[in-house]
Amino acid sequence: MGLVDHLPRVRLGHFPTPLQEAPRLGAALGGPRIWIKRDDLSGLSVGGSKTRIFEFVLGDAAAAGATAVVASAGEQSNKLRELAAGANRLGMKPILLLTGVTGPTELAGNRFLFEVLGADIRTTPIADRFDPALKAELDRLCGEAAAAGHRPYLVYHPGRTGTLGAAAYVAAAEELTGQLGALGLGPVHVFIATGAAPTTAGLALGLRAMRLEAAVIGVSVAAPADEAKAQVLAYAERCADLLGIDHRPSAADVTIDGSQRADFSLPATPAVIEAIELFARTEGVLLEPTYTAKAAAGMIAAIRRGALGPSDSVVFVHTGGLPGLFAHAGEFGYGIDGGQASRRT
Ligand SMILES: *Cc1c(COP(=O)(O)O)cnc(C)c1O
């Protein structure tokens, strides 16, 4: 009996995702053995961590008889892309409120895919996801959908759906524990990108509940490390309550690396670009600048400062986000010269 088996779930992706060894990446870094947990291959509209999450969140929505889903996030949100894709699969209407929109935007990356997916798109200048005015606007959109004859379901991180998202990563931790056990791998260091935090929280909670000897290192993509850590622990508590898990991660069980964080609107840092090129050129694996390459840059920095040596085993959780890579193409310094793409120096 699994830890999350009693929750409603719909099948949207391909699980378990592969746990793939990355020997050329490990050799290039001269450090530990590295495995990549390929949640980017989960499959729903390119895939990513949100496929897992929406199997549970949309499972909950379906159980409630929802015919429309309402959610908010930024214009390059992977969450909104996968939500729209999953809602389409289930015949629900996706209503997306794009936050922090103050002017005209480029139809690139995920923002382009929202249009391809046919989502009902609204915008707001509000950027802070905890702003009560944002919640009020989401509630208003739910009211509007209900008045049009829909049964709306609100996807809202600080509420129930964030906790269900964490539960999805408890399931991921069970999956990973099984894969590591089959390989006979002992203690592991697990690197993952930490944004709003449910994903890291669920992973840490699940690994602890499975009694796996694992150090979870969340690389914060935007928030200061102490804020991100407080969010991880808070989501872990709420998720442990939901699932009836006694073994909860304590502050000592989760490390948050704040060294790579950057505002989403800023161009990719040199460390991020280096990480993207390194994964691509050693393993043929594509990262993106907003989440996964920051996690990779944190892992690379830890190896370079000697925190992880050749006898250590590392799992890098690839949470997806591929469309975001295309939205940042102009930041890599590549030029097209005589038909050959080359680095501009
Ligand atoms: C959403 C997302 C994350 C982070 O998840 P949180 O639960 O918000 O911390 C990491 N990587 C990618 C690609 C994502 O889309």
Side-chain angles (χ1 to χ4, degrees):
M1 180 73 187
L3 294 164
V4 299
D5 289 355
H6 59 293
L7 295 175
R9 181 172 189 175
V10 287
R11 291 288 161 187
L12 296 171
H14 309 297
F15 298 105
T17 57
L19 181 66
Q20 176 183 316
E21 191 165 10
R24 290 178 51 79
L25 175 63
L29 292 166
R33 287 180 79 184
I34 300 171
W35 280 263
I36 305 176
K37 177 61 173 162
R38 300 292 308 268
D39 273 13
D40 59 315
L41 300 180
S42 55
L44 179 65
S45 73
V46 189
S49 52
K50 304 307 185 302
T51 305
R52 251 184 221 289
I53 286 174
F54 285 123
E55 288 204 344
F56 289 88
V57 171
L58 289 176
D60 196 58
T67 63
V69 289
V70 177
S72 66
E75 291 182 285
Q76 284 302 331
S77 167
N78 299 302
K79 174 180 86 173
L80 294 186
R81 170 193 25 102
E82 296 209 54
L83 174 62
N88 286 350
R89 283 267 295 273
L90 299 172
M92 298 175 187
K93 177 185 167 74
I95 302 168
L96 310 181
L97 176 62
L98 307 185
T99 56
V101 179
T102 50
T105 55
E106 203 194 340
L107 285 180
N110 284 307
R111 178 66 185 83
F112 167 63
L113 295 179
F114 302 158
E115 302 288 341
V116 173
L117 289 161
D120 180 348
I121 295 169
R122 315 298 180 88
T123 65
T124 173
I126 300 168
D128 175 8
R129 67 176 181 275
F130 295 112
D131 188 333
L134 182 64
K135 177 66 164 54
E137 182 62 9
L138 287 165
D139 288 338
R140 196 190 63 75
L141 289 174
C142 285
E144 194 185 290
H150 276 292
R151 230 190 278 182
Y153 180 93
L154 177 62
V155 177
Y156 183 61
H157 260 0
R160 173 176 172 78
T161 58
T163 309
L164 289 172
Y169 267 80
V170 169
E174 292 182 282
E175 191 180 295
L176 179 61
T177 301
Q179 289 172 320
L180 291 170
L183 291 169
L185 283 178
V188 288
H189 296 78
V190 183
F191 283 84
I192 186 167
T194 303
T199 313
T200 309
L203 190 69
L205 175 64
L207 293 176
R208 179 120 174 82
M210 298 299 290
R211 313 284 202 279
L212 189 78
E213 267 195 82
V216 175
I217 303 104
V219 181
S220 181
V221 301
D226 56 341
E227 274 176 35
K229 183 155 181 163
Q231 287 295 325
V232 168
L233 293 174
Y235 275 113
E237 280 294 320
R238 289 199 287 273
C239 187
D241 287 344
L242 177 76
L243 299 177
I245 295 175
D246 296 330
H247 290 263
R248 297 159 188 233
S250 66
D253 293 325
V254 182
T255 302
I256 299 291
D257 173 357
S259 67
Q260 307 298 325
R261 68 193 191 89
D263 193 281
F264 285 0
S265 62
L266 295 176
T269 62
V272 156
I273 289 178
E274 188 206 358
I276 290 172
E277 291 182 341
L278 185 63
F279 271 62
R281 293 171 189 190
T282 55
E283 300 292 344
V285 170
L286 298 174
L287 306 177
E288 48 65 54
T290 310
Y291 292 97
T292 52
K294 288 176 185 160
M299 179 188 78
I300 292 166
I303 294 170
R304 290 200 176 134
R305 70 172 175 265
L308 299 164
S311 59
D312 289 314
S313 296
V314 170
V315 174
F316 177 82
V317 182
H318 191 330
T319 47
L322 180 64
L325 179 59
F326 302 114
H328 289 264
E331 295 162 21
F332 284 67
Y334 303 145
I336 305 294
D337 179 8
Q340 283 269 321
S342 60
R343 179 175 289 286
R344 220 182 264 140
T345 46

